[in-house]
Amino acid sequence: FIPQLPNDDIWFTTRRPDGTWEEARHMPPPLNNYSHNYVCTALPDNNTLLLANRYLPEGRCIVGVSMAWRRNNDEWEFPQALAINDFYNQSPYSEYFMAANQQTLLMAIQRNDSYGGRDLYVSFRQENGSWSVPRNLGAQVNTAGSEITPVLAADNRTLYFASNGISGYGDMDIYMSVSLIPYFDSLK
């Protein structure tokens, strides 16, 4: 007998006018299903979520990343998978981040050209709605360890992430890298 571990689920809460938070509520389907479900990015419009995994109609997920949009009546549409050219991940773990302009997608995944464990990659929205082949951010950011949880600031130049490939204070430490030129624009 192999015990079934609980899956990750999406929860939400609302801040009251006095600054306290309501009790957390479990998100209903389609955002939660029988697989691991988690939010990677809540976009500034407050109606769009980037979700880990590709959602399947039968109530489970496979490797990938999806977007979901809130309807007028506070219900969420069924998540739509992003079509990322030549997407694969050799790690059982991943994190994703969508820039506020919805044109840049960062990924913490492991591929054939990774320097160590998971590396940070970037992909750009194409004119046809698909996403470019993930491009490794290179040795200025990635190490022989793992880089995870990328977040790109609104200036599209400041990158925050965690890494265990640089000696720091703990297993994973938080780092910031600022591009001196519009780096992500130059990669397109």
Side-chain angles (χ1 to χ4, degrees):
F1 172 75
I2 299 174
Q4 180 66 30
L5 297 175
N7 289 329
D8 297 321
D9 272 347
I10 300 169
W11 295 74
F12 77 100
T13 183
T14 304
R15 194 162 131 175
R16 297 180 184 111
D18 67 2
T20 61
W21 293 91
E22 293 179 354
E23 185 174 331
R25 291 176 276 171
H26 190 254
M27 292 293 288
L31 299 187
N32 282 318
N33 61 23
Y34 298 110
S35 296
H36 289 289
N37 309 116
Y38 57 98
V39 174
C40 299
T41 309
L43 288 142
D45 68 3
N46 200 32
N47 292 307
T48 309
L49 295 175
L50 181 72
L51 305 169
N53 298 316
R54 295 174 64 135
Y55 283 64
L56 301 177
E58 65 267 15
R60 62 183 190 90
C61 293
I62 59 174
V63 174
V65 63
S66 298
M67 297 284 287
W69 294 270
R70 184 179 3 212
R71 297 183 194 133
N72 292 335
N73 58 3
D74 268 355
E75 291 183 14
W76 289 86
E77 294 180 5
F78 190 85
Q80 300 299 308
L82 298 186
I84 304 170
N85 293 310
D86 192 30
F87 178 82
Y88 64 91
N89 179 17
Q90 297 167 332
S91 171
Y93 305 105
S94 59
E95 294 92 26
Y96 306 91
F97 181 83
M98 176 81 63
N101 65 12
Q102 298 186 35
Q103 301 301 306
T104 305
L105 176 66
L106 292 170
M107 298 170 250
I109 57 177
Q110 186 174 2
R111 294 170 59 90
N112 290 338
D113 63 344
S114 292
Y115 291 87
R118 281 180 285 159
D119 277 2
L120 300 185
Y121 289 80
V122 64
S123 181
F124 299 101
R125 185 186 302 269
Q126 306 298 291
E127 287 183 20
N128 66 3
S130 70
W131 292 82
S132 64
V133 173
R135 183 168 176 179
N136 191 300
L137 290 186
Q140 295 288 29
V141 171
N142 293 309
T143 67
S146 285
E147 284 65 47
I148 63 171
T149 61
V151 174
L152 185 62
D155 65 4
N156 284 332
R157 295 178 55 201
T158 307
L159 174 66
Y160 298 91
F161 62 97
S163 176
N164 64 4
I166 304 166
S167 180
Y169 293 101
D171 182 38
M172 285 283 183
D173 289 318
I174 299 172
Y175 295 90
M176 175 184 79
S177 178
V178 179
S179 177
L180 299 178
I181 57 170
Y183 179 72
F184 292 103
D185 291 337
S186 72
L187 290 177
K188 291 181 183 176

